Amino acid sequence: MRQQRAMLQCSIVRCGLVVAMLAFFADVADADRDAQKKKEQKCNKLQDRQRVLEQKHDVSNVTDDPSATENKENEGSGNVDFQNALTNANEVAESVGLLKQKTQETSDKAKEVSSKFESYGTAVKALETNLDKLTEEQHTYNVAVANHIKEGEKERMKPFNEDNGAGETEQTEEEEEEKSY
């Protein structure tokens, strides 16, 4: 839980998450836009076919062919044009197939983004572990340097203390200071 909170507090991680989300939404929007264009194209084709059929129907009404009048009577009697229904059903099936394909592509891209996020999260955790180790080692080094300097202080100050003759008094004061820590 601490690692997740620390990871989200890192501005680089937040920026990475935002960029990945934007890329994902852009892919989804592109797929939706492509599907919408294809749907519009199919709708335009259907409208064109409908106009052609209407024109053919208007032409057949103009002729005085007795079979044309029979066709009119059959239309009114409830006969269904199965050819148009079959064509429309095929177009719907194609649209559903295209939707399924685009949905699968979007799902695959989402899985790819998810796997990249997992590897990114793993890398961030490894970096956090390395930084924690580095911080600990820096602290240990700093303590060791401070101890080395403190321990060597008596030896370095010894020539000065001997010249002044106050070596014993200063050593006593230094010992008192050490005891107070």
Side-chain angles (χ1 to χ4, degrees), residues 98-124:
L98 181 64
L99 177 65
K100 181 179 178 183
Q101 177 187 1
K102 291 295 181 178
T103 303
Q104 185 63 38
E105 288 174 7
T106 303
S107 175
D108 293 341
K109 288 181 180 180
K111 288 177 184 176
E112 183 180 330
V113 168
S114 177
S115 68
K116 288 182 181 179
F117 264 121
E118 288 176 14
S119 65
Y120 178 74
T122 303
V124 168

Side-chain angles (χ1 to χ4, degrees), residues 17-141:
L17 290 173
V18 169
V19 168
M21 292 297 290
L22 289 174
F24 173 73
F25 288 130
D27 287 342
V28 170
D30 288 342
D32 186 47
R33 192 177 311 115
D34 290 342
Q36 187 67 24
K37 283 181 183 178
K38 289 191 179 193
K39 182 179 176 183
E40 288 176 7
Q41 289 173 351
K42 286 185 181 186
C43 185
N44 290 339
K45 285 181 183 178
L46 286 174
Q47 289 174 350
D48 290 342
R49 288 181 188 170
Q50 184 69 26
R51 285 187 202 119
V52 170
L53 289 175
E54 287 175 358
Q55 288 174 353
K56 285 182 183 178
H57 185 61
D58 289 342
V59 171
S60 67
N61 285 343
V62 173
T63 62
D64 291 330
D65 186 16
S67 62
T69 11
E70 288 176 12
N71 285 340
K72 276 186 174 179
E73 291 173 3
N74 287 339
E75 286 177 10
S77 66
N79 288 342
V80 179
D81 183 12
F82 288 107
Q83 187 61 33
N84 283 340
L86 181 60
T87 304
N88 290 340
N90 288 338
E91 289 176 2
V92 168
E94 288 175 15
S95 297
V96 168
L98 181 64
L99 177 65
K100 181 179 178 183
Q101 177 187 1
K102 291 295 181 178
T103 303
Q104 185 63 38
E105 288 174 7
T106 303
S107 175
D108 293 341
K109 288 181 180 180
K111 288 177 184 176
E112 183 180 330
V113 168
S114 177
S115 68
K116 288 182 181 179
F117 264 121
E118 288 176 14
S119 65
Y120 178 74
T122 303
V124 168
K125 286 179 183 177
L127 178 63
E128 181 182 15
T129 303
N130 288 339
L131 289 175
D132 286 344
K133 286 180 183 177
L134 177 65
T135 303
E136 289 173 12
E137 289 176 7
Q138 283 178 332
H139 177 71
T140 304
Y141 176 78

